[in-house]
């Protein structure tokens, strides 16, 4: 990635010469069993809602990239689904996606929640990581706001010992909490520094990842936060809203496909409107009533909630047209999986 003079951004190039440190850019991914805090961490680093977050495992189905822009580095985060023992065809495909991603990134961050002991699922993943020789690996202890410092210390030791056992070394071991900064407002800086729970820990994580990236000019323009196609991100926002409130009744049997996104014709330039037509797919007819709700109230709420997020994402008013359809047992059917984008 040789000479820096080829960089299009002359101002940054001038700053570069001043700093003498080479600019770095590359890809990092967070791995960990489902619900280990990977998507929340991605969002905290990027500073905007990019990956879908949910307290149900297995909600990230697409590789959503968040982009962290810094003066010295550009970090592109690839958010992979959780690796797990597959029970369905969809599960197997998700695991293939994970392994392919690991082989292509510059840094891997292994996420382990502070409030759960190292389990067989974690060991399964770390064993897989041990087989990837050249890529630097960081152990990230997430959700540190949920535990006392003694429990956190035990977790740090356990994750370090596991690497020793498998014959490799973590490039770094970092405790972080990606909870919102307002939750930290009542604590003094000394308290936060004392137990490593401050929101600044997320920035520290970026500081530790940056030097592990290859020397390179920025790979994406400054304003970009994600290179995920907009339709996919819109579908994810609708899906997240559809999961809310029905997590217990509907396991992961919701898929969303955006059929079209078109600017409304005959609108004045200062009052644009984007028409979005999307289908919410479920596996069985009996689930239809759950999603639609009494007198259609539930589906209306899903529309209202997701429309707000979509308008914030796209920066334009949106008319959202949602339909619920049954795609029988789609998680186990290769043809349906293809149709739904997996």
């Amino acid at each position: 990635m040789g000479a820096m003079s080829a960089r299009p951004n002359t101002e940054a190039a001038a700053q570069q010469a001043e700093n003498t440190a080479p600019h770095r850019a590359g890809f990092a991914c967070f791995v960990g069993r489902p619900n280990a805090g990977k998507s929340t961490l991605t969002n905290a680093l990027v500073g905007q809602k990019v990956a879908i977050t949910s307290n149900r495992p297995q909600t990230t189905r697409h590789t959503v990239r968040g982009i962290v822009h810094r003066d010295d580095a550009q970090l592109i985060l690839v958010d992979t689904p959780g690796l797990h023992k597959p029970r369905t065809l969809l599960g197997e495909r998700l695991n293939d996606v994970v392994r392919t991603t690991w082989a292509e990134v510059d840094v891997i961050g292994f996420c382990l929640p502070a409030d759960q002991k190292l389990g067989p699922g974690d060991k399964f993943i770390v064993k897989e990581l041990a087989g990837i020789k050249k890529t630097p690996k960081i152990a990230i202890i997430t959700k540190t706001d949920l535990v006392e410092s003694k429990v956190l210390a035990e977790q740090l030791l356990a994750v370090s010992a596991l690497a020793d056992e498998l014959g490799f070394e973590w490039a770094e071991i970092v405790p972080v909490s990606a909870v919102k900064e307002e939750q930290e407002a009542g604590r003094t800086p000394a308290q936060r520094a004392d137990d490593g729970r401050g929101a600044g820990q997320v920035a520290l994580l970026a500081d530790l990842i940056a030097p592990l990236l290859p020397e390179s000019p920025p790979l994406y323009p400054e304003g970009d936060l994600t290179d995920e196609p907009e339709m996919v991100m819109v579908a994810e926002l609708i899906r997240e809203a559809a999961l809310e409130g029905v997590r217990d009744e509907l396991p992961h049997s919701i898929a969303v496909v955006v059929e079209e996104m078109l600017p409304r014709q005959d609108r004045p330039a200062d009052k644009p409107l984007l028409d979005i037509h999307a289908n919410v797919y479920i596996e069985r007819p009996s689930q239809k009533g759950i999603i639609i709700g009494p007198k259609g109230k539930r589906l209306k709420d899903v529309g209202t909630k997701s429309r707000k997020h979509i308008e914030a994402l796209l920066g334009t008013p949106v008319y959202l047209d949602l339909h619920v359809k049954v795609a029988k047992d789609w998680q186990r059917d290769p043809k349906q999986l293809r149709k739904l984008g997996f």
Side-chain angles (χ1 to χ4, degrees), residues 111-270:
C111 294
L112 176 71
D115 63 334
Q116 294 167 34
K117 283 216 176 335
L118 258 170
D122 300 307
K123 290 173 182 167
F124 171 67
I125 292 168
V126 176
K127 208 168 174 176
E128 295 264 336
L129 287 181
I132 300 168
K133 299 288 182 228
K134 290 181 180 157
T135 316
K137 294 167 273 290
I138 294 180
I140 305 161
I141 312 299
T142 62
K143 309 186 185 185
T144 55
D145 52 296
L146 302 178
V147 299
E148 294 301 316
S149 42
K150 180 175 172 285
V151 176
L152 178 57
E154 286 166 4
Q155 195 73 312
L156 296 171
L157 288 170
V159 77
S160 172
L162 183 57
D164 291 346
E165 202 182 299
L166 293 166
F168 77 96
E169 205 177 321
W170 300 108
E172 303 280 353
I173 300 178
V174 202
V176 298
S177 163
V179 289
K180 292 187 179 67
E181 278 159 20
E182 57 259 31
Q183 290 181 337
E184 290 290 317
R187 299 162 59 78
T188 66
Q191 281 173 315
R192 289 179 222 171
D194 180 45
D195 63 8
R197 298 181 192 188
Q201 291 286 310
V202 173
L204 168 71
L205 178 61
D207 291 343
L208 294 173
I209 293 174
L212 300 172
L213 301 173
E215 289 182 23
S216 160
L219 303 169
Y220 287 87
E222 179 69 45
D224 288 8
L225 285 173
T226 172
D227 76 344
E228 193 60 31
E230 283 178 344
M231 279 170 100
V232 173
M233 290 188 70
V234 166
E236 289 285 75
L237 288 171
I238 296 168
R239 190 163 169 271
E240 183 176 40
L243 277 171
E244 270 183 43
V246 296
R247 299 195 199 293
D248 301 331
E249 297 166 88
L250 292 189
H252 283 270
S253 43
I254 297 176
V256 175
V257 176
V258 174
E259 297 295 336
E260 57 178 23
M261 281 170 50
L262 297 168
R264 177 83 57 94
Q265 297 304 307
D266 313 324
R267 294 281 291 193
D270 59 339

